[in-house]
Amino acid sequence: MRSTTRTRLGRLAAASLAVAVTLIVAPATPAQAHHGFDDFDTDRLYYISGTVSEVRWGDPHSFFNLTLESDRPADTPELALPEQLQAPEDSGPINDAPSYSGSHDELEVVIAPPAYTGRWGLDRPLADGERVEAVGYIGRSHDDEFRPVVFWYGNGQPVNQVLGSELPARPLPVPYPDSDASTADRNQDATAAGENSDGTSPILVWGTAGIVLLLGVVGGTLYLRSRSRRA
């Protein structure tokens, strides 16, 4: 009888520990459902065009620098869209995206790894000097980074960059509000909004709750075990 009780207590403690660990870890590690768009301002889409250099092709993402053209149009020119982004709710924001007007003359462009990009329309590394156009997002904490939802090379060949068949988020209507605000300012606002009214981070709150739960479970288990021994 005592052995059975100990076994049940052990299973209860293990299950409770697993739940507590999940509560602690899950809030601290945001889901990657947007295929690498977490660190980018998905409220605003921008059009860029320029010349490729310093290509780094591989996993988990490929990179290249894009020296921006100074004579970019005011917004996205009429370009073919990949099949995955032809729905009106996706094609509309892409076609309406204004041209990038930030302070950088060169952006580091982050794209999907070769296994995905190859299936989506580009089965080779881009070459230095090649011209590329793209629509995508500026980095939140690094405003010299760019993550496209689609880019074009050659004679306007589109390459999808969205995992699935829709944009990772609904962008704001154009013209964007606070369009003169810097990305750093918007990032500070987003950080402040993510905190509780008392200035406490949600991660800290959930982590503390998980620890308290874990301590309660361990304490209860020890108490029940001591009672079973006396019995």
Side-chain angles (χ1 to χ4, degrees):
M1 179 65 178
R2 181 174 297 177
S3 176
T4 302
T5 301
R6 288 180 179 176
T7 300
R8 289 176 178 173
L9 290 173
R11 290 176 179 173
L12 174 61
S16 301
L17 178 61
V19 171
V21 170
T22 300
L23 287 172
I24 295 171
V25 174
T29 53
Q32 299 297 318
H34 291 166
H35 196 54
F37 291 100
D38 308 64
D39 296 331
F40 295 83
D41 182 5
T42 54
D43 285 339
R44 295 165 171 82
L45 282 167
Y46 291 101
Y47 167 80
I48 61 172
S49 62
T51 304
V52 171
S53 64
E54 298 184 36
V55 179
R56 288 141 288 172
W57 209 252
D59 297 319
H61 287 281
S62 295
F63 300 84
F64 59 87
N65 290 351
L66 195 73
T67 302
L68 301 177
E69 296 173 338
S70 59
D71 57 348
R72 296 187 304 277
D75 50 26
T76 306
E78 187 174 343
L79 294 163
L81 289 176
E83 180 182 354
Q84 297 90 338
L85 295 173
Q86 290 181 1
E89 58 268 24
D90 300 316
S91 61
I94 291 173
N95 291 329
D96 292 341
S99 184
Y100 169 76
S101 59
S103 59
H104 298 286
D105 296 327
E106 184 177 82
L107 295 174
E108 182 178 62
V109 182
V110 185
I111 64 172
Y116 286 98
T117 298
R119 295 201 302 265
W120 291 337
L122 179 63
D123 58 359
R124 61 166 178 82
L126 290 166
D128 284 359
E130 196 165 359
R131 183 176 185 269
V132 163
E133 300 173 85
V135 170
Y137 308 115
I138 300 296
R140 292 186 185 275
S141 56
H142 300 284
D143 62 0
D144 60 345
E145 294 183 350
F146 189 86
R147 182 75 168 91
V149 295
V150 57
F151 68 88
W152 297 266
Y153 73 100
N155 295 320
Q157 174 68 34
V159 182
N160 175 50
Q161 289 291 284
V162 175
L163 186 64
S165 59
E166 60 181 12
L167 295 175
R170 296 294 99 194
L172 297 170
V174 178
Y176 299 137
D178 302 324
S179 57
D180 295 331
S182 68
T183 303
D185 292 338
R186 294 198 299 271
N187 185 48
Q188 290 177 359
D189 292 341
T191 301
E195 296 182 348
N196 293 338
S197 57
D198 61 355
T200 304
S201 168
I203 294 175
L204 180 60
V205 172
W206 280 101
T208 302
I211 293 172
V212 170
L213 175 61
L214 175 59
L215 293 175
V217 169
V218 172
T221 301
L222 293 175
Y223 172 74
L224 292 173
R225 181 172 294 177
S226 65
R227 288 195 59 184
S228 68
R229 286 175 179 174
R230 288 197 299 270

